[in-house]
Amino acid sequence: GAGVSQTPSNKVTEKGKYVELRCDPISGHTALYWYRQSLGQGPEFLIYFQGTGAADDSGLPNDRFFAVRPEGSVSTLKIQRTERGDSAVYLCASSLDGVLPNEQFFGPGTRLTVL
Amino acid sequence: AQKVTQAQTEISVVEKEDVTLDCVYETRDTTYYLFWYKQPPSGELVFLIRRNSFDEQNEISGRYSWNFQKSTSSFNFTITASQVVDSAVYFCALHTGGFKTIFGAGTRLFVKA
């Protein structure tokens, strides 16, 4: 079966622009996570969805970052007024549910470069 | 505070050597889960193991084994008879209450033929 997919794989943008990053989780997975991974670091938690609702958005660095999952499947991470410090690989992961911390299935990531 | 420390940034071994990757965690919670993930050069993280805080039994899966010691807050990972395909970055992670998983900085393992 298909794994987690993320588009685009690479995104280059200019400082101040708006970007959207998309995640398609594994079908049937109700839990969805967004992480940010900088070079040489582990994934840093951003936000968690259980179904359509953001159950924990405590990792979003500031109000320029926002994520949605309107139908409980595909999710979009939105970054407004991008800054050079936003450059990183953005990872999406899904799991069967979030009741217990199950195995997370990760996508290949979107590499965001802000010039 | 919750934290995961992987003190070894990089390890280099020759094929067939055994290698242990260290993981030390910090949490005040009594219920928590520990994970190991592998990130090969292709980039996608792959789940290896999950262990909950009430199960200190060590686990072996083929050439992989894990040693969980609550007394020292460690969850170390050993690869026996390493192979070139084991070359990757390995992450230890901690999940306590709530929905957040905290990852360590990772250990990059090079296995040379």
Side-chain angles (χ1 to χ4, degrees):
Chain A
V4 177
S5 62
Q6 293 186 245
T7 53
S9 55
N10 278 284
K11 176 71 178 176
V12 180
T13 191
E14 293 180 344
K15 180 174 177 296
K17 299 289 188 184
Y18 168 82
V19 296
E20 289 190 352
L21 312 179
R22 175 188 168 108
C23 171
D24 274 277
I26 292 172
S27 178
H29 281 192
T30 59
L32 185 145
Y33 304 79
W34 281 100
Y35 295 88
R36 178 167 69 175
Q37 187 174 23
S38 300
L39 195 62
Q41 298 298 315
E44 174 193 6
F45 171 84
L46 295 177
I47 187 170
Y48 162 75
F49 286 91
Q50 179 57 40
T52 60
D56 186 345
D57 64 357
S58 62
L60 294 178
N62 51 60
D63 61 7
R64 295 186 298 105
F65 289 75
F66 188 71
V68 295
R69 194 185 185 198
E71 296 177 0
S73 178
V74 170
S75 177
T76 305
L77 178 65
K78 308 180 181 196
I79 310 174
Q80 297 178 317
R81 304 183 304 280
T82 51
E83 300 178 356
R84 293 197 179 88
D86 299 335
S87 297
V89 176
Y90 289 80
L91 299 172
C92 176
S94 69
S95 66
L96 270 174
D97 63 55
V99 176
L100 286 179
N102 289 311
E103 165 188 1
Q104 293 179 36
F105 295 81
F106 281 81
T110 294
R111 182 175 298 278
L112 175 66
T113 303
V114 182
L115 301 176
Chain B
Q2 286 132 15
K3 188 178 176 183
V4 175
T5 301
Q6 294 181 256
Q8 304 149 308
T9 306
E10 289 187 0
I11 300 176
S12 184
V13 299
V14 176
E15 209 169 22
K16 297 183 185 175
E17 285 185 10
D18 298 348
V19 58
T20 295
L21 310 182
D22 297 334
C23 172
V24 173
Y25 62 92
E26 292 177 32
T27 181
R28 290 182 182 163
D29 291 346
T30 55
T31 301
Y32 53 90
Y33 293 80
L34 295 162
F35 296 81
W36 276 95
Y37 283 85
K38 173 182 180 180
Q39 189 171 36
S42 63
E44 292 187 35
L45 278 92
V46 175
F47 167 84
L48 295 177
I49 190 172
R50 180 186 77 175
R51 175 63 83 228
N52 75 56
S53 53
F54 299 108
D55 182 3
E56 284 194 76
Q57 191 171 6
N58 292 329
E59 182 156 338
I60 297 175
S61 176
R63 295 184 298 106
Y64 294 172
S65 62
W66 290 269
N67 181 266
F68 179 24
Q69 300 258 353
K70 284 178 79 169
S71 59
T72 56
S73 297
S74 65
F75 186 43
N76 296 338
F77 171 32
T78 297
I79 302 174
T80 303
S82 59
Q83 299 176 2
V84 172
V85 293
D86 296 327
S87 297
V89 181
Y90 291 87
F91 292 97
C92 180
L94 168 68
H95 187 118
T96 60
F99 309 102
K100 185 180 294 190
T101 302
I102 298 165
F103 285 78
T107 296
R108 183 177 296 276
L109 175 65
F110 294 98
V111 181
K112 295 181 278 192

